[in-house]
């Protein structure tokens, strides 16, 4: 039997690219990369100086991995989904991989009450290692000064766990249904801060729960200290400055239960950026703690006794029950764009969901007349769609949701000549964005000249709905709602800092 690439080439060679689409079934061994390569090979057989005809690819099943398209060989191709097709940077976990916790090192740190509830997946036995999963890394507030550089943003660094298409939470304290920081029942509050030397270490005293917010018990703090002593990475996410427009993720490096303090490290790339420094009245929570793995829908990924394990408190009501949904558990594995289209033209994706990744969903660079439509773009660590340069990109009839930072970013056009890029968002629903970084991560950012957002809905975001910079944008027929509920210095639609916009 020929390989997937060979089969795709054989199919293409016997058909007219204009008349009949190449069919790729990813559930039966096909792949988008094999289809792309087959199209390239067929076009290379054409006489020199022959214009490449338009080609079509029909995609079936759940496709995995990355797809990069560039140049003339990939131009003017329509990729269309059939019967719920998807392109994913995620790894589905078989239900049979879940088993009772057996690691003594895990049980020593796990709350005794959940020993029989929490399940483990031995990722090493599945052929995965730490480099595959990534490691957690700091997220620094990028600064709200004259230049808001979204390209400074990075994903969380580590694969995330999803259940039935919904993101789960790294085990944390306090527990909260929405992870919004500026709510007393969701965060701890800072009473005082002592800074140690020039290493960025901040010794933070936690306010008593009788004063404001929540406070851990001395027993909890002792267990956090035990985790640090065992080499477990412990992290904090907070509005440490208390200003309401700057959230930061930074590591915890010390816990003193008797003094009721935790020590964190803040070393931003720009030393003058102080918004992420711990300050009295700031808010924060801690996460990635096995000792706080006590609530349905929480998980931990880590090395224990030589094995890389996923520990999860099952989100279903029946903790030991079977996983019946077709999505089940999925780990977001890819740390690069799942779809990257650059320096080409006339490429369209229709009816193909784009899902699961640690960074961007679709990145479109320096392309003309390209389009993504009739799909769901969901569950990425950074943004769903990032369009830079080029002209005439369209995002139509799409749902964008579950992103770790912003939703859709358009940059293009020439502000000196007011030449428009004419990138367009139309009939889209953009919601539940900014899961990982909550501030300065809008659902839509339009920067440059001549973009449009038409007849779309933006909602469920803690800070901005849309950030506007540049000139001559068209915003018409949209619905902005349920925004700006978790921050200050914000607007459902936000702009400023340059009178020439």
């Amino acid at each position: 039997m020929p390989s997937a690439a060979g089969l795709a080439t054989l199919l293409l060679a016997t058909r007219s690219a204009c008349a009949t689409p190449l069919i790729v079934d990813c559930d039966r061994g096909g792949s988008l990369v094999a289809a792309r390569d087959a199209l390239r090979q067929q076009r290379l057989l054409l006489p020199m100086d022959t214009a490449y005809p338009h080609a079509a690819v029909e995609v079936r099943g759940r496709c995995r991995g990355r797809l990069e398209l560039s140049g003339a060989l990939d131009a003017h191709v329509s990729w269309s989904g059939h019967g719920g097709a998807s392109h994913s940077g995620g790894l589905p976990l078989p239900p049979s991989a879940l088993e009772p916790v057996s690691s003594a090192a895990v049980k020593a740190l796990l709350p005794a009450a959940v020993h029989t509830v929490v399940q483990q997946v031995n990722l090493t036995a599945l052929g995965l290692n730490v480099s595959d999963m990534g490691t957690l890394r700091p997220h620094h507030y990028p600064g709200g000064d004259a230049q808001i550089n979204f390209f400074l943003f990075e994903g969380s660094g580590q694969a995330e766990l999803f259940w039935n298409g919904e993101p789960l939470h790294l085990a944390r304290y306090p527990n909260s249904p929405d992870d919004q920081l500026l709510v007393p029942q969701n965060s701890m509050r800072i009473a005082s801060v002592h800074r140690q030397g020039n290493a960025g270490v901040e010794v933070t005293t936690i306010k008593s729960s009788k004063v404001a917010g929540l406070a851990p018990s001395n027993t909890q703090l002792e267990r956090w200290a035990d985790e640090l002593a065992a080499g477990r990475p412990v992290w904090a996410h907070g509005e440490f400055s208390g200003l309401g427009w700057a959230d930061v993720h930074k590591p915890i490096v010390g816990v003193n239960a008797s003094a009721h303090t935790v020590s964190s490290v803040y070393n931003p790339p720009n030393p003058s950026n102080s918004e992420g420094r711990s300050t009295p009245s700031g808010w924060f929570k801690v996460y990635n703690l096995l000792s706080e793995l006590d609530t349905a829908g929480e998980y931990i990924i880590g090395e224990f006794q030589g094995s890389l394990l996923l520990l999860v408190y099952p989100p279903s009501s029946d903790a030991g029950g079977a996983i019946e949904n077709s999505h089940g558990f999925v780990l977001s594995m890819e740390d690069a764009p799942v779809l990257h289209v650059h320096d080409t033209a006339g490429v369209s994706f229709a009816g193909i969901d784009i899902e699961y990744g640690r960074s961007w969903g679709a990145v479109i660079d320096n392309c003309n007349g390209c389009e993504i439509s009739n799909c769901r773009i969901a569950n990425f660590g950074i943004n769903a769609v990032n369009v830079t340069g080029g002209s005439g990109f369209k995002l139509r009839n799409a749902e964008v949701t579950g992103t770790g930072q912003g939703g859709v970013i358009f940059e293009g056009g020439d502000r000196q000549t007011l030449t428009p890029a004419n990138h367009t968002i139309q009939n889209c629903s953009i919601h539940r964005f900014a899961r990982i970084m909550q501030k300065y991560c809008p659902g839509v950012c339009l920067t440059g000249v001549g973009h449009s957002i038409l007849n779309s809905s933006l909602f469920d975001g803690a800070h901005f709905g849309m950030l506007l910079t540049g000139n001559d944008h068209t915003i018409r027929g949209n619905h902005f709602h349920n925004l700006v509920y978790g921050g200050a210095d914000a607007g459902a639609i936000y702009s400023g800092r340059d009178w020439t916009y």
Side-chain angles (χ1 to χ4, degrees), residues 6-36:
L7 179 61
T9 304
L10 178 63
L11 287 170
L12 188 64
T14 58
R15 302 178 182 188
S16 164
C18 294
T20 305
L22 166 63
I23 297 175
V24 178
D25 192 336
C26 292
D27 290 342
R28 297 188 176 185
S31 78
L32 300 190
V33 171
R36 176 203 65 191

Short mmCIF file of all heavy atoms in Angstrom, two decimals, residues 6-36:
data_model
loop_
_atom_site.label_atom_id
_atom_site.label_comp_id
_atom_site.label_asym_id
_atom_site.label_seq_id
_atom_site.Cartn_x
_atom_site.Cartn_y
_atom_site.Cartn_z
N GLY A 6 2.44 9.31 -0.91
CA GLY A 6 2.38 8.68 -2.22
C GLY A 6 0.97 8.55 -2.73
O GLY A 6 0.69 8.75 -3.92
N LEU A 7 0.05 8.20 -1.82
CA LEU A 7 -1.34 8.07 -2.20
C LEU A 7 -1.91 9.41 -2.64
O LEU A 7 -2.62 9.50 -3.65
CB LEU A 7 -2.16 7.52 -1.02
CG LEU A 7 -3.65 7.34 -1.26
CD1 LEU A 7 -3.89 6.36 -2.41
CD2 LEU A 7 -4.34 6.84 0.01
N ALA A 8 -1.54 10.47 -1.90
CA ALA A 8 -2.04 11.79 -2.28
C ALA A 8 -1.50 12.19 -3.65
O ALA A 8 -2.22 12.74 -4.48
CB ALA A 8 -1.62 12.82 -1.23
N THR A 9 -0.22 11.89 -3.90
CA THR A 9 0.36 12.21 -5.20
C THR A 9 -0.33 11.42 -6.32
O THR A 9 -0.63 11.95 -7.39
CB THR A 9 1.87 11.90 -5.18
OG1 THR A 9 2.47 12.62 -4.11
CG2 THR A 9 2.53 12.30 -6.49
N LEU A 10 -0.58 10.14 -6.05
CA LEU A 10 -1.23 9.29 -7.05
C LEU A 10 -2.63 9.81 -7.38
O LEU A 10 -3.02 9.90 -8.54
CB LEU A 10 -1.31 7.85 -6.52
CG LEU A 10 -2.00 6.83 -7.44
CD1 LEU A 10 -1.22 6.68 -8.74
CD2 LEU A 10 -2.10 5.49 -6.71
N LEU A 11 -3.38 10.16 -6.32
CA LEU A 11 -4.72 10.68 -6.55
C LEU A 11 -4.68 11.96 -7.36
O LEU A 11 -5.45 12.15 -8.31
CB LEU A 11 -5.40 10.95 -5.20
CG LEU A 11 -5.85 9.72 -4.40
CD1 LEU A 11 -6.27 10.13 -3.01
CD2 LEU A 11 -7.00 9.03 -5.12
N LEU A 12 -3.74 12.85 -6.99
CA LEU A 12 -3.68 14.13 -7.68
C LEU A 12 -3.25 13.97 -9.13
O LEU A 12 -3.75 14.65 -10.02
CB LEU A 12 -2.71 15.05 -6.93
CG LEU A 12 -2.69 16.51 -7.43
CD1 LEU A 12 -4.04 17.15 -7.19
CD2 LEU A 12 -1.60 17.28 -6.73
N ALA A 13 -2.34 13.05 -9.37
CA ALA A 13 -1.83 12.89 -10.73
C ALA A 13 -2.87 12.36 -11.69
O ALA A 13 -2.75 12.53 -12.90
CB ALA A 13 -0.63 11.93 -10.70
N THR A 14 -3.91 11.76 -11.16
CA THR A 14 -4.93 11.19 -12.03
C THR A 14 -6.17 12.07 -12.13
O THR A 14 -7.17 11.65 -12.70
CB THR A 14 -5.34 9.81 -11.50
OG1 THR A 14 -5.83 9.93 -10.17
CG2 THR A 14 -4.16 8.85 -11.52
N ARG A 15 -6.10 13.27 -11.56
CA ARG A 15 -7.27 14.14 -11.58
C ARG A 15 -6.88 15.53 -12.05
O ARG A 15 -5.73 15.95 -11.93
CB ARG A 15 -7.88 14.26 -10.18
CG ARG A 15 -8.27 12.91 -9.59
CD ARG A 15 -8.80 13.09 -8.19
NE ARG A 15 -9.13 11.80 -7.60
CZ ARG A 15 -9.76 11.65 -6.46
NH1 ARG A 15 -10.15 12.69 -5.78
NH2 ARG A 15 -10.02 10.44 -5.99
N SER A 16 -7.82 16.22 -12.53
CA SER A 16 -7.61 17.63 -12.84
C SER A 16 -7.75 18.43 -11.56
O SER A 16 -8.75 18.33 -10.87
CB SER A 16 -8.67 18.11 -13.84
OG SER A 16 -8.70 19.52 -13.88
N ALA A 17 -6.75 19.25 -11.24
CA ALA A 17 -6.79 20.03 -10.01
C ALA A 17 -7.94 21.02 -10.00
O ALA A 17 -8.42 21.41 -8.96
CB ALA A 17 -5.47 20.77 -9.82
N CYS A 18 -8.37 21.42 -11.18
CA CYS A 18 -9.47 22.39 -11.23
C CYS A 18 -10.82 21.70 -11.08
O CYS A 18 -11.75 22.27 -10.53
CB CYS A 18 -9.42 23.16 -12.55
SG CYS A 18 -7.98 24.21 -12.75
N ALA A 19 -10.94 20.48 -11.60
CA ALA A 19 -12.25 19.86 -11.69
C ALA A 19 -12.63 19.08 -10.43
O ALA A 19 -13.74 19.17 -9.95
CB ALA A 19 -12.29 18.94 -12.90
N THR A 20 -11.72 18.30 -9.91
CA THR A 20 -12.03 17.41 -8.81
C THR A 20 -11.08 17.66 -7.66
O THR A 20 -9.87 17.66 -7.85
CB THR A 20 -11.90 15.94 -9.27
OG1 THR A 20 -12.73 15.75 -10.42
CG2 THR A 20 -12.34 15.00 -8.15
N PRO A 21 -11.60 17.84 -6.45
CA PRO A 21 -10.69 18.10 -5.33
C PRO A 21 -9.92 16.85 -4.92
O PRO A 21 -10.39 15.72 -5.08
CB PRO A 21 -11.65 18.54 -4.21
CG PRO A 21 -12.96 17.90 -4.55
CD PRO A 21 -13.02 17.90 -6.05
N LEU A 22 -8.75 17.06 -4.41
CA LEU A 22 -7.98 16.01 -3.76
C LEU A 22 -8.64 15.74 -2.41
O LEU A 22 -8.88 16.67 -1.63
CB LEU A 22 -6.54 16.46 -3.56
CG LEU A 22 -5.67 15.64 -2.61
CD1 LEU A 22 -5.50 14.22 -3.14
CD2 LEU A 22 -4.33 16.32 -2.42
N ILE A 23 -8.95 14.50 -2.12
CA ILE A 23 -9.60 14.14 -0.85
C ILE A 23 -8.55 13.61 0.11
O ILE A 23 -7.81 12.68 -0.22
CB ILE A 23 -10.71 13.11 -1.07
CG1 ILE A 23 -11.81 13.72 -1.95
CG2 ILE A 23 -11.29 12.66 0.27
CD1 ILE A 23 -12.91 12.73 -2.32
N VAL A 24 -8.48 14.21 1.30
CA VAL A 24 -7.54 13.78 2.33
C VAL A 24 -8.33 13.40 3.57
O VAL A 24 -9.05 14.22 4.13
CB VAL A 24 -6.53 14.91 2.67
CG1 VAL A 24 -5.60 14.45 3.78
CG2 VAL A 24 -5.75 15.31 1.45
N ASP A 25 -8.23 12.15 3.96
CA ASP A 25 -8.94 11.66 5.14
C ASP A 25 -7.91 11.38 6.23
O ASP A 25 -7.19 10.38 6.19
CB ASP A 25 -9.73 10.39 4.81
CG ASP A 25 -10.69 10.00 5.92
OD1 ASP A 25 -10.45 10.40 7.09
OD2 ASP A 25 -11.69 9.32 5.63
N CYS A 26 -7.86 12.29 7.22
CA CYS A 26 -6.84 12.16 8.26
C CYS A 26 -7.15 11.02 9.23
O CYS A 26 -6.26 10.56 9.94
CB CYS A 26 -6.72 13.48 9.03
SG CYS A 26 -6.02 14.82 8.03
N ASP A 27 -8.40 10.58 9.27
CA ASP A 27 -8.74 9.44 10.12
C ASP A 27 -8.31 8.12 9.49
O ASP A 27 -8.39 7.06 10.13
CB ASP A 27 -10.24 9.40 10.41
CG ASP A 27 -10.68 10.54 11.32
OD1 ASP A 27 -9.81 11.13 11.99
OD2 ASP A 27 -11.90 10.85 11.37
N ARG A 28 -7.89 8.18 8.23
CA ARG A 28 -7.46 6.96 7.53
C ARG A 28 -6.02 7.07 7.03
O ARG A 28 -5.67 6.50 6.00
CB ARG A 28 -8.41 6.67 6.37
CG ARG A 28 -9.84 6.39 6.83
CD ARG A 28 -10.71 5.92 5.68
NE ARG A 28 -12.06 5.56 6.13
CZ ARG A 28 -12.99 5.04 5.35
NH1 ARG A 28 -12.71 4.79 4.06
NH2 ARG A 28 -14.19 4.75 5.81
N GLY A 29 -5.21 7.80 7.77
CA GLY A 29 -3.78 7.85 7.46
C GLY A 29 -3.33 9.02 6.62
O GLY A 29 -2.14 9.16 6.36
N GLY A 30 -4.27 9.85 6.13
CA GLY A 30 -3.87 11.02 5.35
C GLY A 30 -3.37 12.14 6.24
O GLY A 30 -3.52 12.11 7.46
N SER A 31 -2.77 13.16 5.64
CA SER A 31 -2.33 14.33 6.39
C SER A 31 -2.36 15.55 5.49
O SER A 31 -2.22 15.44 4.26
CB SER A 31 -0.92 14.12 6.96
OG SER A 31 0.06 14.30 5.97
N LEU A 32 -2.51 16.72 6.11
CA LEU A 32 -2.51 17.95 5.33
C LEU A 32 -1.14 18.22 4.73
O LEU A 32 -1.03 18.75 3.62
CB LEU A 32 -2.95 19.12 6.22
CG LEU A 32 -4.34 19.00 6.85
CD1 LEU A 32 -4.73 20.32 7.50
CD2 LEU A 32 -5.39 18.59 5.82
N VAL A 33 -0.09 17.88 5.45
CA VAL A 33 1.26 18.08 4.92
C VAL A 33 1.47 17.21 3.68
O VAL A 33 2.04 17.66 2.67
CB VAL A 33 2.31 17.76 6.00
CG1 VAL A 33 3.72 17.74 5.39
CG2 VAL A 33 2.24 18.78 7.12
N ALA A 34 0.99 15.97 3.71
CA ALA A 34 1.13 15.10 2.53
C ALA A 34 0.35 15.66 1.35
O ALA A 34 0.82 15.62 0.20
CB ALA A 34 0.63 13.69 2.87
N ALA A 35 -0.84 16.20 1.61
CA ALA A 35 -1.63 16.80 0.52
C ALA A 35 -0.92 18.02 -0.05
O ALA A 35 -0.86 18.20 -1.28
CB ALA A 35 -3.01 17.18 1.05
N ARG A 36 -0.37 18.86 0.85
CA ARG A 36 0.38 20.03 0.36
C ARG A 36 1.55 19.60 -0.52
O ARG A 36 1.77 20.17 -1.60
CB ARG A 36 0.90 20.82 1.56
CG ARG A 36 1.77 22.02 1.19
CD ARG A 36 2.68 22.40 2.33
NE ARG A 36 3.66 21.34 2.62
CZ ARG A 36 4.44 21.33 3.70
NH1 ARG A 36 4.35 22.31 4.60
NH2 ARG A 36 5.32 20.35 3.88
#
